[in-house]
Amino acid sequence: GAGVSQSPRYKVAKRGQDVALRCDPISGHVSLFWYQQALGQGPEFLTYFQNEAQLDKSGLPSDRFFAERPEGSVSTLKIQRTQQEDSAVYLCASSSGPGSYNEQFFGPGTRLTVL
Amino acid sequence: QKEVEQNSGPLSVPEGAIASLNCTYSDRGSQSFFWYRQYSGKSPELIMFIYSNGDKEDGRFTAQLNKASQYVSLLIRDSQPSDSATYLCAVPNFGNEKLTFGTGTRLTIIP
């Protein structure tokens, strides 16, 4: 594919529902990141994968948040028992490999609204 | 103190003038710095990357880095209405690629 894709683009959930957000990174990209962006704020780091290994999950706000990348390509971010404070845009980014000089390419994001 | 700080603006600049965006960071070990542009409702896109002290120019954009002062800036010359967006300063953690972003500066170019 030409870039990072995410689905769904928009998700409305009732409080307490579980949601699953999908990210398709750029083909061949080793590194994959999830960020959460609240309105008027910069993106905040959630978690990082290198291939299928989740190397950093320090940004996940609670144990209701879970991410996986079982085959080292597509990733899913799952939020259980959603709360209103989970409402945000969830951005996925990928890069070609480890190293702080590598550009991260962002997907269009999933806008989650919890009612 | 936040790790990466930006003036949230809004910053209004007349068309054709120079827009100056500033960012300070707290980690003296930071090695590289990114400027992302984010249009309303869109995802961030990288516009500049700098890792050496001094200036780096790319078209109408110039990034300036001063590691001693822990300060990085972005200058946009000959500002155009299409430059109206939020500009995010981002710093990768050394040894871990995760980016720490500032809150972003909202820039409006006035025709």
Side-chain angles (χ1 to χ4, degrees):
Chain A
V4 180
S5 61
Q6 293 185 244
S7 61
R9 292 293 313 279
Y10 303 91
K11 177 69 179 178
V12 178
K14 291 182 179 178
R15 190 174 57 180
Q17 279 186 331
D18 298 348
V19 298
L21 313 180
R22 177 187 167 106
C23 172
D24 277 275
I26 293 173
S27 178
H29 274 193
V30 167
S31 300
L32 185 144
F33 305 81
W34 285 98
Y35 295 88
Q36 179 190 59
Q37 187 172 25
L39 190 64
Q41 301 295 316
E44 296 269 353
F45 170 78
L46 294 177
T47 188
Y48 161 53
F49 290 86
Q50 186 174 317
N51 294 306
E52 68 279 2
Q54 188 175 22
L55 298 186
D56 188 341
K57 53 181 181 179
S58 62
L60 296 176
S62 76
D63 58 7
R64 296 187 295 103
F65 287 72
F66 172 77
E68 60 183 2
R69 193 186 186 197
E71 297 178 358
S73 55
V74 170
S75 176
T76 304
L77 176 66
K78 298 179 180 178
I79 309 173
Q80 297 177 320
R81 305 181 303 281
T82 52
Q83 303 295 313
Q84 285 188 323
E85 62 262 28
D86 300 335
S87 295
V89 175
Y90 291 85
L91 294 165
C92 176
S94 70
S95 72
S96 57
S100 57
Y101 301 113
N102 288 325
E103 178 180 356
Q104 292 185 24
F105 295 86
F106 283 82
T110 295
R111 182 177 297 276
L112 173 65
T113 303
V114 181
L115 303 177
Chain B
Q1 181 190 5
K2 288 199 65 170
E3 294 181 44
V4 180
E5 296 207 35
Q6 295 181 255
N7 187 327
S8 61
L11 176 65
S12 296
V13 172
E15 184 175 357
I18 296 175
S20 178
L21 305 161
N22 305 315
C23 172
T24 58
Y25 60 94
S26 60
D27 185 356
R28 284 196 170 275
S30 297
Q31 299 293 312
S32 55
F33 306 86
F34 296 86
W35 281 100
Y36 280 84
R37 177 176 63 198
Q38 187 173 28
Y39 291 114
S40 181
K42 303 296 185 182
S43 59
E45 58 175 324
L46 184 69
I47 53 171
M48 286 291 285
F49 159 38
I50 187 167
Y51 59 88
S52 298
N53 270 331
D55 295 358
K56 178 182 178 182
E57 188 175 316
D58 183 2
R60 295 187 296 112
F61 298 95
T62 299
Q64 298 176 319
L65 174 60
N66 183 327
K67 289 187 179 179
S69 299
Q70 295 175 244
Y71 176 90
V72 57
S73 64
L74 179 69
L75 301 178
I76 306 174
R77 291 183 301 282
D78 187 26
S79 298
Q80 304 295 311
S82 59
D83 296 327
S84 296
T86 295
Y87 289 81
L88 296 160
C89 174
V91 181
N93 283 35
F94 183 74
N96 179 324
E97 300 173 69
K98 68 182 181 183
L99 294 173
T100 299
F101 286 87
T103 54
T105 298
R106 188 155 55 91
L107 173 67
T108 301
I109 306 302
I110 304 167

